[in-house]
Amino acid sequence: MKKTLFVAGALVSAPLLYLMLWPVPIEPVAWQAPVDRGLVDPFAPNDALRATTAIDLGRFEGPEDATLGHDDAIYATTQTGHVVRIRSRRAEEFAYVGGRPLGIETAADGSLIVANAVSGLQRVDPSGAVSTLYGGDDTDVFANNLAIGPDGIVYFTESSRKFSVREFRDTMEATLYDIMEHGGHGRLLAYDPATNAAEVLLDGLAYANGVAISDDGGFLLVVEMNEYRVLKYWLHGPRRGSADVLLDNLPGFGDNLKTGHNGRFWLGFAAPRKQIVDALANRPGLRKVILRLPAFLRPAADASSHVVAFDGDGEILMNLHDPDARFPTLTGVLETRRNLYLTTLYGNVLPVIAKQDL
């Protein structure tokens, strides 16, 4: 009888000890999440994206960001490490950069600058040749998004200095660990091609994500994803080098930022807020327990299709939803003269909607 009780006790206590004591790679920091207001004005649900169609990318998946090239083709980064070129709604391989390319912008000389979560900053010349600007095979730089100033300076985000994609071999896994720790490991940097050096502009960010620059080059906007906000960093003028909160208490996890037309900035929400994530904000011990659970038992992101446009003063100008979430996990928007191209983490299509259909 005693032996039976001992075995039963061991069977009960072993899982509990595992959930309480098994090592995990995070040291969670307690913080206070703002009260989630939900999808209320100016973020209320609508069907503005119902007319969105899909450009078939074939074997290429996860067009996380896109840019308009000097040849009027669309160039997009993909999960397979390729940059694809899209012309007349047909996609073809343009360059292989390896790793996980995320952000992409077109430089003044027609080359493409890529923020690669594994390899750092890369340059792809018009012939498709690839070179490394910052980072490389022997340096972990979780580069995420970028913007290029009028003077050629490349401003880019390093999402997490602690949880690298190279170590965890997956952007979402590294992102999950950073979200669960909330340790402020993100940075905003400025890379000068003339000196081949990078300067840290902002440090201690809770997952630095999208970045965009104003048309006149006077300020940057940067997404601090884990704080649900967008910061405004001044590059010139009397407030140079200082930052303000431009948008706060956003209704989702902000991803890419992109400079659009007529003073607009576009932001994609990779996922809406999740109640359990906010509830665990000031309970660091429980966040460790969550990470000890099997992956299928952990909180999963809800599907949504939601992007917004706003101006440099933080006024929401456009709020676009697809209630059916046909293209979930939207990361951002590339605005051209006629269309909005909606970038996404998953799937082998690039969603697009004509501006006249909005």
Side-chain angles (χ1 to χ4, degrees):
M1 182 67 176
K2 289 183 178 180
K3 183 177 180 181
T4 301
L5 290 174
F6 175 80
V7 172
L11 290 174
V12 171
S13 61
L16 292 176
L17 288 172
Y18 169 80
L19 289 175
M20 296 303 297
L21 301 176
W22 190 261
V24 291
I26 66 170
E27 292 298 332
V29 175
W31 65 291
Q32 188 64 49
V35 176
D36 183 8
R37 297 189 299 263
L39 293 175
V40 297
D41 284 334
F43 303 109
N46 56 51
D47 63 356
L49 294 177
R50 195 176 290 279
T52 302
T53 60
I55 297 174
D56 185 4
L57 301 183
R59 65 187 178 93
F60 304 106
E61 296 191 0
E64 210 271 354
D65 196 15
T67 186
L68 181 66
H70 284 189
D71 58 357
D72 289 329
I74 303 298
Y75 293 83
T77 54
T78 67
Q79 209 169 52
T80 57
H82 294 87
V83 173
V84 297
R85 178 168 54 198
I86 303 164
R87 293 186 286 202
S88 301
R89 297 181 70 96
R90 299 188 65 179
E92 61 181 356
E93 178 181 339
F94 175 68
Y96 179 72
V97 299
R100 189 13 171 152
L102 298 175
I104 187 170
E105 293 289 346
T106 304
D109 64 358
S111 63
L112 306 174
I113 309 300
V114 174
N116 194 310
V118 175
S119 306
L121 277 186
Q122 299 170 299
R123 179 181 183 269
V124 184
D125 73 19
S127 72
V130 181
S131 57
T132 299
L133 299 178
Y134 180 82
D137 292 337
D138 57 350
T139 307
D140 276 341
V141 180
F142 190 167
N144 193 320
N145 203 225
L146 73 146
I148 304 174
D151 54 1
I153 301 295
V154 180
Y155 301 96
F156 70 100
T157 50
E158 185 177 12
S159 288
S160 179
R161 299 187 70 197
K162 180 174 180 179
F163 303 105
S164 73
V165 175
R166 181 174 295 165
E167 179 183 358
F168 293 100
R169 300 185 179 184
D170 182 78
T171 54
M172 293 306 293
E173 192 76 0
T175 298
L176 171 66
Y177 284 131
D178 198 90
I179 290 173
M180 296 299 279
E181 176 161 307
H182 205 94
H185 303 299
R187 304 194 297 179
L188 172 67
L189 299 97
Y191 169 80
D192 187 346
T195 62
N196 200 34
E199 174 190 3
V200 178
L201 303 182
L202 289 176
D203 203 349
L205 300 179
Y207 200 94
N209 206 323
V211 60
I213 191 167
S214 62
D215 289 331
D216 63 0
F219 61 85
L220 294 170
L221 300 181
V222 59
V223 174
E224 194 174 13
M225 187 182 78
N226 292 353
E227 290 279 348
Y228 309 124
R229 65 187 185 182
V230 175
L231 306 178
K232 185 175 186 177
Y233 179 88
W234 296 92
L235 293 170
H236 299 291
R239 306 226 30 226
R240 178 181 179 181
S242 63
D244 305 313
V245 176
L246 182 69
L247 292 174
D248 203 6
N249 200 10
L250 292 168
F253 290 90
D255 205 312
N256 291 347
L257 277 176
K258 205 84 164 175
T259 305
H261 291 193
N262 303 316
R264 287 190 288 267
F265 297 94
W266 288 96
L267 170 66
F269 292 108
R273 297 265 291 268
K274 201 163 186 71
Q275 184 177 8
I276 189 172
V277 174
D278 290 351
L280 293 173
N282 62 355
R283 298 182 178 182
L286 285 179
R287 302 214 297 274
K288 281 190 172 185
V289 172
I290 291 291
L291 280 189
R292 294 182 183 116
L293 295 173
F296 71 92
L297 290 178
R298 297 175 188 169
D302 296 323
S304 72
S305 300
H306 186 195
V307 298
V308 296
F310 56 94
D311 64 20
D313 294 321
E315 179 182 356
I316 303 299
L317 304 174
M318 302 180 75
N319 170 53
L320 311 178
H321 292 256
D322 180 352
D324 299 323
R326 292 172 298 147
F327 309 106
T329 324
L330 293 183
T331 55
V333 178
L334 167 65
E335 180 179 7
T336 65
R337 187 166 59 89
R338 295 181 178 178
N339 298 318
L340 300 181
Y341 294 88
L342 309 175
T343 51
T344 178
L345 278 177
Y346 302 110
N348 65 337
V349 299
L350 178 65
V352 59
I353 185 169
K355 290 159 79 170
Q356 67 181 17
D357 291 335
L358 292 173

